Amino acid sequence: MDQLAGKVAVITGGGSGLGRELAVQCAAAGMRLVLADVDETGLAETMALLPAGAEVVTRRVDVSDAAAVEALSDLTYKSFGATHLLFNNAGVFVSGPTWTTTAEDWNWVLGVNLMGVVHGVRSFVPRMLEGGEAGRIINTASLAGLTSVPGSSVYCASKHAVVTLSECLHHELTAARANIGVSVLCPAFFKTGIAESDRNRPQALASTNPDGEEYARRLKAAIEAGRLSATRIAEITMEAISVDRFYIIPHRGALAQTEQRMRDIIEQRPPTNPYAGRD
Ligand SMILES: NC(=O)c1ccc[n+]([C@@H]2O[C@H](COP(=O)([O-])OP(=O)(O)OC[C@H]3O[C@@H](n4cnc5c(N)ncnc54)[C@H](O)[C@@H]3O)[C@@H](O)[C@H]2O)c1
């Protein structure tokens, strides 16, 4: 899809990091925007970066809440009609060895990272199919959706699920001869607020994992050292959308890690730690 002016983009997690950069670039392309986030201050900060005259609707939405995402779809339809680009992007992170992760860790991260995408697809795609206009769903997964990172099983499980969900969705929309494409975005580390994900963690699912901190410290360092900016990741994503690419893998080195995992599987040997030697 390359003619974006006047079309409609819905971006979850639009109040920070990558979602904010996608909003800036979609608005620069002349798109009308619906931005959703649990962080209303962040949404206002994103709004302030958009060109004067941009048509934008913002809404506080918890993407793990099916009814809230359904209401977002209604709001989008009433405000602008058809959705053309749906960015299921909101995401959060927890760390720690799998055996000390808590039920709350799993409920929170799977609720946002996986069910947020599921709700986005369930609430928006039927309307996109009915409308018949060309569209694209861009699900933000991660390189952690293609590899297995020690100390990140909760996050990796959520992102692997987003990758396979996206592949299934692609097959289904192709079989239905729908004019709707799918992309799955799999970046490695880049600098955003993801290392401070706890800022949006509901009190009812508060962290009690005693052993998460060491891994969280390492994550923060890796994010800070990220070679590509969120702006660049958003640019690469928009370029990939313009040529209808399914897998969007912005970082050099990510393919080698992915290939290593595939080779381990094919050759039936134990998994290689992609971060061995970096601890
Ligand atoms: N930054 C990285 O290194 C990296 C790498 C790979 C993938 N990702 C993915 O990129 C996406 C964007 O994250 P980011 O790096 O920009 O982080 P970020 O923390 O800067 O932005 C995430 C946004 O999601 C929002 N959010 C959190 N919970 C929500 C909920 N329940 N409902 C709605 N919104 C919610 C936050 O308020 C925040 O505005 C995520 O899916 C993340 O997993 C990030």
Side-chain angles (χ1 to χ4, degrees):
M1 181 181 280
D2 54 0
Q3 300 298 319
L4 298 181
K7 297 206 170 127
V8 176
V10 177
I11 305 172
T12 69
S16 178
L18 178 61
R20 173 172 293 167
E21 295 299 329
L22 289 167
V24 167
Q25 292 182 31
C26 286
M31 297 193 80
R32 295 178 288 163
L33 303 184
V34 176
L35 305 180
D37 204 296
V38 282
D39 179 353
E40 287 175 291
T41 307
L43 284 173
E45 287 168 7
T46 301
M47 279 288 282
L49 297 173
L50 303 180
E55 288 184 69
V56 189
V57 173
T58 62
R59 179 58 56 102
R60 187 191 186 284
V61 175
D62 177 349
V63 295
S64 69
D65 177 346
V69 178
E70 190 65 26
L72 182 70
S73 172
D74 290 344
L75 174 73
T76 304
Y77 189 69
K78 282 186 197 127
S79 305
F80 295 136
T83 297
H84 301 94
L85 297 182
L86 170 64
F87 292 92
N88 289 311
N89 169 74
V92 292
F93 186 88
V94 295
S95 39
T98 308
W99 59 88
T100 66
T101 56
T102 64
E104 289 77 15
D105 288 341
W106 288 93
N107 285 335
W108 179 47
V109 174
L110 292 181
V112 179
N113 293 8
L114 173 57
M115 296 313 294
V117 177
V118 171
H119 297 324
V121 170
R122 290 178 56 254
S123 292
F124 280 86
V125 172
R127 247 183 198 145
M128 291 169 80
L129 284 167
E130 267 168 38
E133 294 188 38
R136 192 156 201 93
I137 299 136
I138 305 95
N139 295 327
T140 303
S142 170
L143 178 56
L146 300 171
T147 60
S148 299
V149 186
S152 303
S153 63
V154 186
Y155 186 73
C156 285
S158 73
K159 295 299 189 178
H160 276 253
V162 171
V163 171
T164 189
L165 177 160
S166 304
E167 291 169 347
C168 293
L169 181 64
H170 166 83
H171 295 319
E172 293 155 4
L173 289 169
T174 303
R177 296 179 192 282
N179 201 7
I180 301 173
V182 181
S183 295
V184 64
L185 172 60
C186 300
F189 299 117
F190 60 100
K191 212 169 160 183
T192 64
I194 193 86
E196 285 89 39
S197 290
D198 265 8
R199 70 194 188 280
N200 294 311
R201 187 164 176 161
Q203 196 50 44
L205 299 176
S207 173
T208 53
N209 183 347
D211 292 334
E213 279 175 22
E214 175 55 22
Y215 283 106
R217 202 186 46 73
R218 283 186 223 168
L219 168 82
K220 211 168 192 162
I223 300 272
E224 289 298 319
R227 276 179 294 121
L228 298 183
S229 64
T231 306
R232 187 67 195 124
I233 301 288
E235 281 168 4
I236 290 167
T237 304
M238 298 308 289
E239 285 159 18
I241 290 169
S242 73
V243 294
D244 299 335
R245 186 173 307 136
F246 181 86
Y247 295 106
I248 311 176
I249 303 179
H251 289 82
R252 260 186 273 141
L255 292 180
Q257 283 189 26
T258 307
E259 183 179 11
Q260 178 74 56
R261 175 168 183 262
M262 296 300 170
R263 293 229 165 274
D264 290 342
I265 293 169
I266 290 163
E267 294 174 24
Q268 298 182 43
R269 60 194 183 203
T272 305
N273 177 355
Y275 295 97
R278 293 201 208 172
D279 296 343

